[in-house]
Amino acid sequence: MSHPAAGHAKAGSPAPPRSNAVVAVLAFAGIVVSLMQTLVIPIVPELPRYLDASASNAAWAITATLLAAAVATPVVGRLGDMFGKRRMLLVSVVLLVSGSVVCALSDSLVPMIVGRTLQGLAAAVVPLGISIMRDVLPAERLAGSTALMSASLGVGGALGLPAAAFIADRYDWHTLFWISAALGVVALALLVLIVPESKVRTGGSFDLLGSLGLSAALVALLLAVSKGGDWGWTSGTTLGLFAAAVLIFLLWGRYELRTAQPLVDLRTTARRQVLFTNLASVALGFSMFAMSLVLPQVLQLPEQTGYGLGRSMLAVGLILAPQGLVMMAMSAVSAALTKAKGPKVTLMTGAVVVAAGYGLSLALMSEVWHIMLVACVIGGGVGFAYGAMPALIMGAVPASETAAANSLNTLMRSMGTSFASALAGVILAQLTTDFGGHALPSENGFKTVMAIGAGAALLALFFASFLPRRQTAGEPAEPAEALTEPAEISGARA
């Protein structure tokens, strides 16, 4: 196992002058990647017309990104540990730029799916960025910086929606992807110029069979979850994919336990701190996304329904944008609480705040300011919780496995959002009301989804309660390498 270079930043010493720049660039790269997720939301209803395809086929432009991100995140994380985190970060951003250009040049379905797949392959940027921070930043900067990086996914998503809606409303839809490509090029240039390569490497050989097995299992599971509503949850295709996912996961797990250099170290993953952090991540990913499925619809539905607020897509984006700013602000508060009380307390606090936000929504969803308040409370809780997760993961794994472990945690959050999308789709399709001869989701349907979101946050609180208590002075260190000796920021570049 590799170790950082000898010259370390001492605890309490001033941060190297380029630390702020490194954090800013990595967070910017995370925001650029998160914009990829919200980029197409304003044009989803029009994609069939733009691409001359049926609605079900056009939906593959969304599904392809989800599947590619699920496959790439753990694989690229492991490659980062082996061959260089900065190197794989640059590769990921190049894929994002390439995918954006392909989409910008697309006028039919197949090129669009190819481009969106390439964009999805860039999903590992955030866990790679967090891992680089562990290796190159002084210890006193680590908690706040990783909290900001972790929150960048939500921040970019919240701020990107109004911008994407504005652009789609006034310009040709291809402009969205040209802007995505331009932002990617800027991020790439900044990463090359400012971010150093980590010297922490695992070495060894890549677990190709393990990566193929995990990819196959994830594709089967997420394909069933994301398309089950279209195909029918009891259809042979959906049930067959679920069964295949379970079988492949079992075979993959057995293989990973027996191979010398696995893609995912399941023994490390089974450590209490890693296991319950990942379980809480699934629940919080579910909880965060439930809000994203409900609030925009309530804002856009006609006022004549009695519960819709009749706002445009651009207005929806502007109303929900403060959520992203709150999430960013709370990342700093999250880091301060983690430093004072430990990441377990921070995660549990975030889960409670998220649950409280969903509780508010059950009574306050009839005015625009109600929606903004609910979104900001939930966003603040998510900022707290997401900021604690990297600290919990990095406190339990060796530095040489940081990227793989953070990537797996990111994947767990994504799994939660996928499950939320599927379950909310089923509920809103069943609980409907008639409006002018059209079936629309009912107010009770929306409240049911929000109540389940609150339950998911409480489930995350339950999982977090099993995390080990915070270490005190004199106790033995975690089995992972300590976080107090990061490599200096002046480390060699790739």
Side-chain angles (χ1 to χ4, degrees):
M1 182 169 58
S2 302
H3 296 275
H8 302 305
K10 296 179 181 178
S13 63
R18 297 188 65 185
S19 293
N20 290 337
V22 170
V23 173
V25 169
L26 289 173
F28 175 71
I31 290 172
V32 169
V33 170
S34 68
L35 290 174
M36 170 192 70
Q37 303 294 338
T38 54
L39 194 67
V40 297
I41 290 178
I43 63 172
V44 164
E46 302 297 328
L47 276 179
R49 180 170 63 87
Y50 291 154
L51 303 176
D52 192 23
S54 65
S56 60
N57 286 336
W60 282 101
I62 310 299
T63 305
T65 308
L66 168 70
L67 298 179
V71 169
T73 300
V75 172
V76 174
R78 177 61 178 159
L79 290 171
D81 281 332
M82 293 178 64
F83 303 115
K85 303 176 184 76
R86 175 177 176 268
R87 181 173 297 161
M88 296 312 302
L89 188 62
L90 295 176
V91 169
S92 296
V93 177
V94 167
L95 289 171
L96 173 66
V97 173
S98 301
S100 300
V101 171
V102 171
C103 290
L105 296 173
S106 298
D107 286 307
S108 59
L109 182 62
V110 173
M112 175 63 80
I113 291 175
V114 171
R116 291 288 291 165
T117 300
L118 289 172
Q119 287 186 316
L121 294 175
V125 163
V126 170
L128 286 170
I130 291 171
S131 303
I132 290 173
M133 288 177 177
R134 178 185 189 179
D135 295 342
V136 305
L137 293 181
E140 64 272 13
R141 291 294 310 276
L142 190 59
S145 300
T146 57
L148 178 62
M149 188 72 190
S150 187
S152 67
L153 281 174
V155 171
L159 300 181
L161 183 58
F166 178 83
I167 294 166
D169 191 46
R170 287 163 174 75
Y171 303 98
D172 179 77
W173 65 275
H174 295 91
T175 306
L176 291 169
F177 295 101
W178 285 120
I179 291 175
S180 173
L183 290 173
V185 169
V186 172
L188 185 65
L190 291 174
L191 289 168
V192 170
L193 292 173
I194 294 174
V195 177
E197 179 61 275
S198 163
K199 297 179 181 180
V200 182
R201 308 281 178 88
T202 60
S205 58
F206 181 67
D207 181 13
L208 179 60
L209 186 58
S211 67
L212 292 175
L214 180 60
S215 299
L218 288 172
V219 168
L221 176 61
L222 293 177
L223 199 53
V225 168
S226 61
K227 303 296 286 186
D230 296 332
W231 295 337
W233 293 105
T234 58
S235 69
T237 302
T238 303
L239 294 177
L241 284 170
F242 277 128
V246 171
L247 179 60
I248 297 170
F249 269 125
L250 290 174
L251 293 174
W252 172 79
R254 183 179 180 185
Y255 170 80
E256 290 294 281
L257 288 171
R258 294 185 174 189
T259 189
Q261 294 179 318
L263 177 73
V264 177
D265 188 340
L266 294 179
R267 292 179 178 84
T268 298
T269 304
R271 288 177 183 165
R272 184 169 59 154
Q273 186 158 318
V274 179
L275 175 62
F276 283 103
T277 300
N278 284 334
L279 289 174
S281 297
V282 175
L284 277 168
F286 184 107
S287 190
M288 183 189 76
F289 201 65
M291 167 193 67
S292 302
L293 295 167
V294 170
L295 299 187
Q297 291 193 64
V298 173
L299 285 167
Q300 285 186 281
L301 285 175
E303 293 182 3
Q304 291 84 347
T305 59
Y307 52 90
L309 299 176
R311 297 303 194 269
S312 67
M313 174 60 78
L314 177 58
V316 169
L318 293 172
I319 292 166
L320 297 180
Q323 170 204 351
L325 299 177
V326 170
M327 194 179 299
M328 180 179 289
M330 286 302 102
S331 67
V333 182
S334 169
L337 183 59
T338 295
K339 185 176 181 179
K341 299 293 184 180
K344 174 181 177 177
V345 173
T346 307
L347 178 56
M348 295 180 74
T349 301
V352 169
V353 174
V354 171
Y358 276 105
L360 280 175
S361 74
L362 300 180
L364 300 177
M365 220 160 43
S366 58
E367 302 286 345
V368 167
W369 73 267
H370 292 173
I371 301 293
M372 186 179 294
L373 174 64
V374 167
C376 286
V377 172
I378 295 175
V382 170
F384 259 98
Y386 276 19
M389 289 174 185
L392 286 163
I393 293 295
M394 292 187 296
V397 302
S400 56
E401 297 177 16
T402 302
N406 277 320
S407 295
L408 183 62
N409 182 252
T410 300
L411 175 62
M412 293 299 103
R413 298 188 219 175
S414 299
M415 298 283 280
T417 63
S418 300
F419 296 148
S421 178
L423 182 58
V426 170
I427 292 171
L428 296 180
Q430 295 297 319
L431 300 178
T432 61
T433 185
D434 182 76
F435 182 76
H438 298 281
L440 297 178
S442 68
E443 185 177 14
N444 284 337
F446 289 132
K447 288 187 174 182
T448 299
V449 173
M450 297 298 273
I452 293 174
L458 293 176
L459 181 61
L461 176 66
F462 173 74
F463 287 138
S465 69
F466 289 97
L467 290 167
R469 65 186 175 88
R470 188 186 184 194
Q471 284 183 302
T472 57
E475 288 187 312
E478 290 279 352
E481 293 179 27
L483 299 187
T484 55
E485 295 189 9
E488 283 196 2
I489 208 154
S490 58
R493 298 174 183 270

